[in-house]
């Protein structure tokens, strides 16, 4: 079954999209064509949206799902005239909260993603810059400033996990890739020894690793299954010997990897 799902907002659309994706992921067997439409803040834009929704009805022969965070009642009423199953995200949750808290919400466009506290925003940018500067062991002399240091073989998910933790939670995450030379040692590389308590390992299924590396360097020793298997087994043995906590990233998304690391390493979320 194919259904079209619209995430519509007069702000960024991030809230509608995030909640919508979480809800729709619970329905197996349905292929959703997801359309995000941010900054629908005029009637002219609402008219264009209505045309797009009606076109989806004609194409799918079934009404689309519409999740919106539109604050402007006039714009929302116009879109509500379309033949769609419309869910007002704000009304669904804010009305019960208003009743419980005994106060009215501000019902303001883009409030959850606005820069409300400048120092927190600066911390977030600083964390992202730190993750970029300290990618792939680039500046090991800065490891004393890191909240956590991800270690593992090349292409095991270290870089995206560091960037996600920095962007979403303001965590200063560095990463260090183990090379062939590193794995011949009986101990950790010298640059990591002073920061043993900050280390967290990432490992991965060798078949998956070979497939990922093949996209980067096809038909190379780097991407061969034998090489990937050797590296993964060696690094996993090192993690056990050094008692470094680790996670197998094979079946996890970046979001899941980052969340598990934060939880198990007991990192304080800054954002």
């Amino acid at each position: 079954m194919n259904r079209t799902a619209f995430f519509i907002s007069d702000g960024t659309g991030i809230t509608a999209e995030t909640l919508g994706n979480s809800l729709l992921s619970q329905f197996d067997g349905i292929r959703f064509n997801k359309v995000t439409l941010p900054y629908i803040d005029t009637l002219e834009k609402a008219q264009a949206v209505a045309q797009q929704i009606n076109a989806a009805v004609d194409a799918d022969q079934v009404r689309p799902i519409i999740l919106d965070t539109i604050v402007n009642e006039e714009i929302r009423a116009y879109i509500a005239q379309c033949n769609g199953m419309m869910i007002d995200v704000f009304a669904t949750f804010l009305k019960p909260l208003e009743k419980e808290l005994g106060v009215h919400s501000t019902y303001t466009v883009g409030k959850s993603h606005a820069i409300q506290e400048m120092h927190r925003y600066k911390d977030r940018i600083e964390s992202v810059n730190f993750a970029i500067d300290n990618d792939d062991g680039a500046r090991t002399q800065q490891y004393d400033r890191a909240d956590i240091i991800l270690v593992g073989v090349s292409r095991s998910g270290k870089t995206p996990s560091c960037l996600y933790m920095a962007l979403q939670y303001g965590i200063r995450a560095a990463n260090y890739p183990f090379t062939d030379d590193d794995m011949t040692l009986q101990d950790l590389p010298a640059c990591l020894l002073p920061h043993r308590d900050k280390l967290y390992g990432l490992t991965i299924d060798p078949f998956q690793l070979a497939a990922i590396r093949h996209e980067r360097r096809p038909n190379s020793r780097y991407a061969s299954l034998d090489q990937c298997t050797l590296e993964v087994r060696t690094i996993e043995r090192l993690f056990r010997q050094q008692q470094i906590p680790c996670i197998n990233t094979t079946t996890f998304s970046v979001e899941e990897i980052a969340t598990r690391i934060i939880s198990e390493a007991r990192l304080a979320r800054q954002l």
Side-chain angles (χ1 to χ4, degrees):
M1 183 187 301
N2 294 329
R3 296 289 291 267
T4 301
F6 289 95
F7 308 135
I8 307 174
S9 176
D10 39 14
T12 63
I14 294 174
T15 300
E17 187 176 38
T18 302
L19 179 59
N21 281 321
S22 296
L23 294 173
L24 298 181
S25 68
Q26 302 301 315
F27 296 91
D28 295 331
I30 302 178
R31 182 179 178 276
F32 290 102
N33 173 32
K34 301 172 184 176
V35 182
T36 302
L37 301 173
Y39 301 112
I40 307 304
D41 49 10
T42 67
L43 279 177
E44 290 75 17
K45 292 179 181 179
Q47 291 167 2
V49 168
Q51 293 175 0
Q52 197 167 346
I53 292 172
N54 292 331
V57 174
D58 293 339
D60 298 342
Q61 291 300 298
V62 64
R63 65 178 185 165
I65 309 299
I66 304 171
L67 285 94
D68 78 273
T69 54
I70 298 175
V71 172
N72 187 295
E73 288 293 341
E74 186 178 13
I75 293 174
R76 187 173 192 281
Y78 187 91
I79 296 176
Q81 297 175 25
C82 299
N83 184 21
M85 189 273 185
M86 199 162 179
I87 302 172
D88 183 342
V89 174
F90 281 162
T92 301
F93 297 101
L94 286 181
K95 296 302 181 185
L97 279 171
E98 287 177 340
K99 184 177 180 181
E100 176 65 25
L101 298 174
V103 295
H104 290 290
S105 63
T106 58
Y107 218 53
T108 305
V109 176
K111 187 142 188 179
S112 63
H113 299 286
I115 302 175
Q116 299 183 44
E117 296 183 50
M118 184 55 68
H119 73 280
R120 287 186 178 271
Y121 179 75
K122 289 181 178 179
D123 286 345
R124 184 185 202 180
I125 298 303
E126 172 60 26
S127 297
V128 172
N129 288 334
F130 183 87
I132 294 172
D133 287 344
N134 291 274
D135 186 40
D136 277 347
R139 298 186 180 182
T140 58
Q141 69 273 19
Q142 294 188 14
Y143 282 177
D144 60 323
R145 297 175 53 217
D147 297 315
I148 194 164
I149 304 168
L150 302 188
V151 293
V153 300
S154 173
R155 313 307 289 180
S156 57
K158 301 183 300 300
T159 297
S161 299
C162 285
L163 288 172
Y164 186 85
M165 286 191 286
L167 184 61
Q168 297 295 325
Y169 303 116
I171 291 172
R172 293 185 179 183
N175 74 79
Y176 183 91
F178 276 76
T179 64
D180 289 343
D181 290 340
D182 291 329
M183 285 186 277
T184 62
L185 302 174
Q186 298 301 312
D187 203 347
L188 293 169
C191 63
L192 297 180
L193 284 173
H195 312 289
R196 186 189 297 267
D197 60 332
K198 295 182 180 181
L199 302 184
Y200 199 99
L202 269 60
T203 185
I204 187 172
D205 179 78
F207 287 92
Q208 178 75 2
L209 180 61
I212 294 171
R213 288 184 174 184
H214 184 74
E215 294 179 1
R216 185 179 180 89
R217 298 182 195 170
N219 303 316
S220 63
R221 174 178 173 272
Y222 170 78
S224 71
L225 181 58
D226 287 345
Q227 178 65 22
C228 291
T229 301
L230 174 63
E231 290 185 25
V232 169
R233 298 299 174 245
T234 302
I235 200 70
E236 288 178 343
R237 183 167 59 250
L238 180 66
F239 290 161
R240 289 192 297 270
Q241 291 173 346
Q242 299 294 329
Q243 297 183 325
I244 297 172
C246 65
I247 182 175
N248 189 311
T249 65
T250 306
T251 60
F252 293 136
S253 66
V254 172
E255 295 88 344
E256 291 174 307
I257 295 168
T259 303
R260 285 174 179 267
I261 292 172
I262 292 170
S263 175
E264 293 181 12
R266 298 181 179 180
L267 297 176
R269 303 186 185 198
Q270 305 303 318
L271 303 175

